[in-house]
Amino acid sequence: MKIRDLSPAEFRARLTGDGLRLAAGPFNCRLQSGIPEIADELAQLYAHHRLVDAADFTDFHVAVRPGHGLRRWLAPQARFVVDAVEPFTPLPRNQALAMLEWGLNWCVTAYSHHILVVHAASVARGRHAAILPAPPGSGKSTLCAALVNRGWRLLSDELTLIRLDTGEIMGLARPVNLKNASIDIIRAYAPDAFLTRPVKDTTKGTVALMAPTRASVDAVGEWAQPRWMVLPRYRAGSEAVLTPMGSGAAFMQLADNAMNYHVLGPRGFAAVGATTDRCDNYSFEYSRLDDAIAVFDRLATEAGA
């Protein structure tokens, strides 16, 4: 049974009651909220995700709750809670949905030391995956969202999960985080995609979330082998230029973006090295999304994907 099979009333009752239990890739999550206004958009973001039974093991018990005391009415706030602990400072209530997504990212990063967690987007064509590590403002999420709406499969927008034993990339297929100008760019580029209402004045600027495609969610259990690592950078007016990157530089880029590299120690070193060796590594500059997608499609064609 999928989230989309619940009526709006059933969805709200679960969310505001004992919890909405869903599978997000390899993780089972129990979501609760005392802020009912997030329900409609949350249901659309996770429409294609599978519901899990209450008897199944749950990895993360998370909630977004209203502020305490006067904060329920005066400058209302939202609080993120995981296992009865509040790891973050409360945010304005209108940021509750974004806070839930950011909080889930934190849970994966903080507790998933059986895998290598890389701050990077990842997309797949068939069994071949492209890893896109990049700093904020590089155009990573914009490029990821565009690829997903032109036939590539979303593995993850923010956190790439790499198995330590096989080196495969595990899918999450959770919503794509878009910021500032990228919101309108993707609305125009993929008018059929569902995007939440923009929320202004967050620490990241104006933010919105894009729902993963149904095909991406349906195939979330189909893990992929890393084939390319591409370090994207948006530069206005530039041509789409793919430049080979040396293995040493590629190793450092991946290690710098690995969130738990220091925790894993030698296993992290080995995983980063193995991933770098499996990939063709590039830096990539682009300005026009159609040109960028043509470059990625060419890579996939050359690899037989």
Side-chain angles (χ1 to χ4, degrees):
M1 187 175 184
K2 305 293 180 69
I3 295 290
R4 64 176 180 266
D5 297 321
L6 298 175
S7 70
E10 289 173 322
F11 182 90
R12 285 175 177 266
R14 294 194 187 199
L15 183 65
T16 59
D18 187 52
L20 180 75
R21 291 173 167 85
L22 60 84
F27 305 110
N28 288 343
C29 307
R30 176 173 170 245
L31 312 181
Q32 292 177 293
S33 182
I35 302 178
E37 59 266 30
I38 73 170
D40 291 344
E41 289 186 324
L42 183 64
Q44 293 187 75
L45 289 174
Y46 284 92
H48 308 304
H49 286 71
R50 179 174 57 85
L51 290 163
V52 296
D53 192 85
D56 294 339
F57 178 81
T58 299
D59 296 278
F60 309 127
H61 298 262
V62 303
V64 178
R65 304 193 186 284
H68 293 297
L70 289 176
R71 284 299 194 182
R72 286 178 174 270
W73 301 280
L74 183 65
Q77 291 181 331
R79 300 178 294 117
F80 180 80
V81 183
V82 53
D83 294 330
V85 175
E86 294 187 36
F88 310 127
T89 301
L91 294 177
R93 183 171 171 133
N94 70 333
Q95 297 180 28
L97 184 55
M99 190 182 202
L100 178 61
E101 286 299 308
W102 299 335
L104 283 172
N105 287 341
W106 181 87
C107 289
V108 173
T109 302
Y111 298 122
S112 301
H113 299 317
H114 59 295
I115 52 179
L116 183 70
V117 181
V118 182
H119 180 221
S122 49
V123 294
R125 178 68 67 82
R127 291 281 295 166
H128 297 287
I131 304 171
L132 283 66
S138 62
K140 165 183 67 68
S141 292
T142 310
L143 179 58
C144 175
L147 286 164
V148 169
N149 282 285
R150 291 297 186 273
W152 288 71
R153 175 163 59 93
L154 176 68
L155 296 173
S156 182
D157 164 49
E158 288 287 337
L159 302 175
T160 292
L161 311 180
I162 301 176
R163 287 184 56 134
L164 298 178
D165 52 356
T166 65
E168 292 171 296
I169 297 177
M170 306 164 74
L172 271 177
R174 286 182 39 230
V176 176
N177 289 265
L178 297 173
K179 299 181 287 292
N180 303 316
S182 66
I183 299 170
D184 287 337
I185 290 171
I186 294 301
R187 282 195 193 280
Y189 195 74
D192 292 334
F194 173 75
L195 273 68
T196 61
R197 291 163 294 183
V199 178
K200 299 180 179 180
D201 300 323
T202 78
T203 57
K204 300 172 185 269
T206 299
V207 300
L209 298 164
M210 185 192 85
T213 61
R214 180 171 181 170
S216 296
V217 180
D218 287 347
V220 72
E222 298 175 15
W223 301 339
Q225 288 287 349
R227 183 65 176 78
W228 310 276
M229 187 180 73
V230 181
L231 192 71
R233 177 174 176 264
Y234 172 84
R235 187 169 69 85
S238 72
E239 298 298 319
V241 179
L242 199 63
T243 304
M245 184 187 301
S247 58
F251 182 99
M252 292 305 299
Q253 287 289 345
L254 196 60
D256 285 346
N257 284 282
M259 311 290 283
N260 58 348
Y261 180 77
H262 62 293
V263 176
L264 294 173
R267 293 186 301 158
F269 180 87
V272 169
T275 302
T276 303
D277 290 344
R278 288 187 178 101
C279 289
D280 295 335
N281 303 298
Y282 303 97
S283 60
F284 180 53
E285 195 169 84
Y286 76 98
S287 62
R288 293 179 294 275
L289 288 174
D290 282 337
D291 293 346
I293 288 169
V295 168
F296 274 75
D297 286 347
R298 186 178 73 245
L299 288 175
T301 299
E302 291 171 352

